[in-house]
Amino acid sequence: MTHKNVAEILKSDSVLQEVELKGWVRTFRSNRFIALNDGSTLNNIQCVIDFENTDETTLKRITTGAAIAIKGTIVESQGKGQSVEVQVSKIEILGDCNPEEYPIQPKKHSFEFLRENAHLRVRTNTFSAVMRVRSKLSFAVHKYFQENDFNYVNTPIITGSDAEGAGEMFRVTNFEDNKAPLTEDGKIDYSKDFFGKETNLTVSGQLEAETFAMALGKAYTFGPTFRAENSNTTRHLAEFWMIEPEVAFMDLDGNMDLAEDFIKSVINDILKNCKDDLAFLDERLTQEDKSKPQAERSEMSLLEKLRFVADNNFKRVSYTEAIDILRNSKPNKKKKFQYLINEWGADLQSEHERYLVEKHFKCPVILFDYPANIKAFYMRLNDDGKTVRAMDVLFPGIGEIVGGAQREERYDVLVEKMKAMNIDEKELWWYLDLRKYGTAVHSGFGLGFERLVQFTTGMSNIRDVIPFPRTPQNAEF
Ligand code: 4AD
Ligand code: MG
């Protein structure tokens, strides 16, 4: 007798094999058919009970959600929808599940309800599929970089610097008794704090990753990052995972090539390795779309979208060209945009990004060469003196999925920019050292992992692609 998981059993062609398996009951009908799921696959295995030879109390305990162990034989299925099933010879209830109380019933639950039951939602088809795809995607990310000779670097979670200079950091203070001592001039005396200085949770591992790129050549991070921005949207989390490659001797064109190749590679990977889950999510999205007004439905199914991105070139467009397109666009002329585009220099909002991607180009777009003053201090200044070598990758349905840049490698220019943007040079002395000792052209980007999972699973809310979302007013679990 061999212990097997459901995925293995469903794949096995050898019938009349004795097996042992464990899992959770999804449904039990006619006192005879158990749909058993063990998480190894989206699919359940049908386990058929000989109820006449099973005692009444055991039968009553086979309820949705109960954990059970089964011994039996794999046989060809008589029923529709599956090729094999298990003829049960012995059943043991491992953990009961009171059907009166169990929140996850065999019916459709709203995503809002499931978010409140995030500890149980991964037992549903949709969330188990999303989380398996998420897991496979993380592996694909590491595979891509490892196979391309990048070094995985673990950058600090607690840091003293604001990598983005955007002031959206969660504070890490640890004063005794929660009482902050004051200096003579009445300010908080951080020299008495745990680290002897003001610290926060990292918003990005980029600056530290740059130190690795400038020694190991190619580095990447893949870790949690934190933003205290009060954005209650379907694309923002207060805690999210970011992937940040950083490469020495690579310019912005190389950076665009890398981002495009990387995204295509991981999408191809899951198209190959998550067939069942993606087929299910594709169908789910198609059904969800049917309940929407025609204008909001997507033109492509999930699988079509994934293949489209994997097979087509991303359109590369400068910020200046994009502004021209937006200024002359219908929604701008008809004042349909919430933020109208009047002049060069305007920051792009997600409505503009989505217009470019979804209406104008109808493919992923890489925007580059943004105005210096709407981008971070570390981006390389162009010869025009007003734009920087920044790039954002914009995706249909998502908007910005990647933000990156060629870094300012010239010491003097960087110091100038830091002064102009009020970035503390003393705090970033080590970052400036990179420009003093063997500086070189280098570039990198950050990809928001949850936005990638959103795109690949077709889930519309970012809270539904991370196990336990952290958002304003919510840190349950
Ligand atoms: O554009 P961002 O802020 O860029 C950086 O942090 C750079 N230091 C990256 C680099 O060059 N190494 O963030 C990068 C990406 C965004 O494009 C988006 O996908 C994601 O991180 N992101 C978020 N995802 C979820 N919730 C949030 N609040 C996010 N903020 C950014
Ligand atoms: Mg950005």
Side-chain angles (χ1 to χ4, degrees):
M1 177 109 42
T2 44
H3 195 107
K4 286 201 166 182
N5 69 31
V6 172
E8 288 170 317
I9 295 175
L10 289 174
K11 263 188 266 164
S12 75
D13 38 21
S14 49
V15 290
L16 294 180
Q17 202 188 128
E18 298 269 296
V19 283
E20 223 182 289
L21 67 158
K22 291 174 183 160
W24 295 271
V25 176
R26 280 292 175 84
T27 57
F28 182 41
R29 62 183 173 85
S30 313
N31 246 357
R32 196 169 162 78
F33 302 105
I34 300 172
L36 190 75
N37 190 286
D38 67 358
S40 60
T41 158
L42 181 79
N43 301 306
N44 304 325
I45 181 112
Q46 174 155 290
C47 301
V48 186
I49 295 205
D50 175 8
F51 67 90
E52 277 157 357
N53 293 314
T54 311
D55 67 84
E56 194 73 15
T57 41
T58 305
L59 284 175
K60 283 217 173 82
R61 292 170 67 196
I62 307 174
T63 56
T64 296
I68 62 173
I70 274 178
K71 284 182 184 160
T73 315
I74 304 176
V75 296
E76 257 176 64
S77 179
Q78 311 298 314
K80 268 197 288 184
Q82 68 263 331
S83 59
V84 292
E85 61 190 25
V86 173
Q87 196 68 53
V88 178
S89 55
K90 186 162 183 278
I91 177 167
E92 186 191 345
I93 311 290
L94 302 174
D96 289 285
C97 188
N98 184 343
E100 306 293 310
E101 291 173 7
Y102 187 47
I104 310 295
Q105 297 293 321
K107 62 161 201 176
K108 215 170 151 52
H109 292 291
S110 75
F111 287 153
E112 288 78 15
F113 171 82
L114 289 171
R115 249 169 253 150
E116 286 161 15
N117 289 282
H119 60 309
L120 300 172
R121 68 177 176 172
V122 69
R123 300 179 183 200
T124 65
N125 281 339
T126 300
F127 285 91
S128 72
V130 168
M131 292 307 158
R132 271 188 302 267
V133 171
R134 182 181 166 110
S135 168
K136 284 275 190 285
L137 265 175
S138 344
F139 187 50
V141 167
H142 283 293
K143 221 168 15 182
Y144 178 85
F145 288 119
Q146 293 293 335
E147 283 171 1
N148 286 288
D149 300 323
F150 282 70
N151 294 279
Y152 180 38
V153 45
N154 304 117
T155 50
I157 308 259
I158 299 174
T159 103
S161 50
D162 178 1
E164 289 303 295
E168 293 169 334
M169 302 163 301
F170 284 103
R171 220 166 262 252
V172 180
T173 44
N174 207 12
F175 289 116
E176 235 170 276
D177 294 333
N178 252 339
K179 283 199 196 95
L182 301 182
T183 58
E184 278 174 10
D185 49 0
K187 293 197 179 119
I188 292 177
D189 185 1
Y190 284 103
S191 71
K192 306 263 163 47
D193 198 356
F194 185 93
F195 293 108
K197 65 187 287 193
E198 193 175 355
T199 52
N200 45 268
L201 295 179
T202 185
V203 295
S204 157
Q206 176 198 323
L207 305 194
E208 290 89 351
E210 281 185 52
T211 70
F212 267 54
M214 294 309 281
L216 302 179
K218 292 177 176 186
Y220 73 105
T221 73
F222 186 176
T225 47
F226 309 85
R227 304 252 169 127
E229 50 190 338
N230 199 1
S231 304
N232 255 308
T233 78
T234 54
R235 300 172 311 116
H236 287 89
L237 291 164
E239 176 180 292
F240 64 99
W241 286 66
M242 195 163 21
I243 296 147
E244 297 184 273
E246 192 70 33
V247 183
F249 314 116
M250 185 177 78
D251 65 9
L252 192 71
D253 289 324
N255 208 18
M256 294 193 221
D257 292 342
L258 177 65
E260 184 167 344
D261 188 55
F262 163 61
I263 293 174
K264 286 177 171 173
S265 163
V266 293
I267 287 180
N268 273 322
D269 188 288
I270 61 148
L271 277 170
K272 199 167 110 206
N273 293 314
C274 301
K275 287 205 169 80
D276 286 353
D277 288 322
L278 288 182
F280 173 84
L281 293 166
D282 179 87
E283 179 58 23
R284 188 205 73 78
L285 190 62
T286 305
Q287 293 307 325
E288 187 185 87
D289 253 13
K290 281 185 187 158
S291 66
K292 290 184 187 159
Q294 191 76 37
E296 284 169 36
R297 293 183 199 169
S298 51
E299 287 167 29
M300 284 187 235
S301 76
L302 176 63
L303 284 167
E304 283 167 344
K305 258 191 281 189
L306 295 179
R307 288 194 200 104
F308 182 85
V309 168
D311 295 341
N312 289 284
N313 291 337
F314 297 5
K315 180 85 187 159
R316 301 180 186 191
V317 185
S318 75
Y319 167 89
T320 304
E321 288 170 71
I323 285 291
D324 277 342
I325 293 167
L326 288 167
R327 206 188 284 148
N328 296 316
S329 69
K330 248 197 211 157
N332 201 55
K333 287 186 167 154
K334 294 194 168 168
K335 302 201 175 356
K336 287 270 158 61
F337 282 142
Q338 197 186 340
Y339 298 89
L340 295 180
I341 299 286
N342 293 317
E343 55 200 298
W344 193 93
D347 203 355
L348 300 185
Q349 307 295 325
S350 101
E351 57 181 345
H352 309 126
E353 296 175 344
R354 294 186 64 166
Y355 174 83
L356 291 169
V357 173
E358 290 159 26
K359 297 283 184 309
H360 190 84
F361 291 109
K362 294 181 187 288
C363 71
V365 171
I366 309 183
L367 287 188
F368 62 91
D369 284 352
Y370 282 76
N373 59 357
I374 59 169
K375 287 289 182 185
F377 70 94
Y378 51 72
M379 300 185 175
R380 193 182 196 281
L381 193 63
N382 278 312
D383 291 342
D384 62 13
K386 59 175 194 175
T387 59
V388 284
R389 300 246 76 192
M391 66 173 211
D392 275 3
V393 181
L394 312 178
F395 257 44
I398 304 285
E400 178 190 336
I401 192 164
V402 162
Q406 183 174 323
R407 317 307 184 189
E408 183 54 77
E409 85 284 12
R410 298 163 296 185
Y411 182 87
D412 297 340
V413 183
L414 184 57
V415 168
E416 265 318 297
K417 284 192 72 183
M418 287 171 75
K419 281 206 178 90
M421 292 186 163
N422 256 325
I423 308 279
D424 191 357
E425 283 164 61
K426 278 197 234 86
E427 191 58 57
L428 289 179
W429 62 275
W430 53 274
Y431 189 67
L432 286 164
D433 265 6
L434 298 181
R435 278 73 184 166
K436 275 203 240 167
Y437 309 129
T439 192
V441 163
H442 63 288
S443 304
F445 62 81
L447 175 136
F449 186 54
E450 283 73 21
R451 295 198 184 164
L452 178 67
V453 182
Q454 261 191 293
F455 181 74
T456 47
T457 58
M459 298 296 281
S460 52
N461 195 321
I462 198 164
R463 294 157 207 228
D464 297 332
V465 299
I466 188 164
F468 300 102
R470 267 80 185 95
T471 50
Q473 296 299 311
N474 171 46
E476 195 65 46
F477 308 101

